[in-house]
Amino acid sequence: MGVAPSTCLARIRTLRERGVIRGFHADVDPAALGRGLQAMIAVRLRAHTRESVKEFIRDVPGLPGVVGVWHVAGADDYLLHVAVPDSDALRDFVLEHLTTHPAVGHTETSLIFGHLRGAVGAAAVID
């Protein structure tokens, strides 16, 4: 890009201080870790009480295989991104951790065939 390293570092520091850049991550291949099957699981809670929501968000992010949790609007309340070894492990995850959870009323699982990462506004922010 023709920008001196010191200028680049100063820009990155400024973006971090302003909260534009919240952190950095490693793009890890789940299949390389033995988790070749990924899915998005839509979750609908039984009730929308503070206690049900607190219980769900306390328990779910730490479950084995959970990559991300999104609180969403619409027919479902949460979307869970999970990475597991195979379809048996996915079934077991849903049965052992979600359908038995007292806050969960309904789940719907969609397999992920591929993933593309977008670059929302990255070029405009850095320039």
Side-chain angles (χ1 to χ4, degrees):
M1 276 178 41
V3 177
S6 59
T7 302
C8 183
L9 181 58
R11 288 181 182 176
I12 290 173
R13 277 193 187 129
T14 300
L15 291 170
R16 289 189 74 193
E17 289 167 0
R18 289 179 32 211
V20 175
I21 296 176
R22 296 186 297 187
F24 302 93
H25 76 278
D27 189 7
V28 177
D29 179 7
L33 299 174
R35 294 177 179 269
L37 183 65
Q38 295 182 66
M40 293 298 285
I41 304 173
V43 176
R44 218 171 291 149
L45 300 181
R46 286 187 197 285
H48 295 92
T49 64
R50 286 194 186 275
E51 288 308 312
S52 290
V53 171
K54 282 182 184 179
E55 186 177 13
F56 184 79
I57 61 174
R58 178 195 69 218
D59 297 341
V60 171
L63 293 175
V66 173
V67 176
V69 178
W70 290 268
H71 189 188
V72 297
D76 299 308
D77 300 305
Y78 290 90
L79 286 176
L80 277 59
H81 177 192
V82 298
V84 293
D86 53 34
S87 61
D88 289 339
L90 180 59
R91 180 201 59 225
D92 292 346
F93 176 86
V94 172
L95 292 175
E96 293 171 13
H97 298 294
L98 296 180
T99 59
T100 59
H101 194 285
V104 174
H106 175 79
T107 65
E108 185 172 328
T109 303
S110 299
L111 297 180
I112 297 173
F113 294 131
H115 171 237
L116 301 173
R117 187 175 305 278
V120 177
V125 173
I126 294 175
D127 287 340

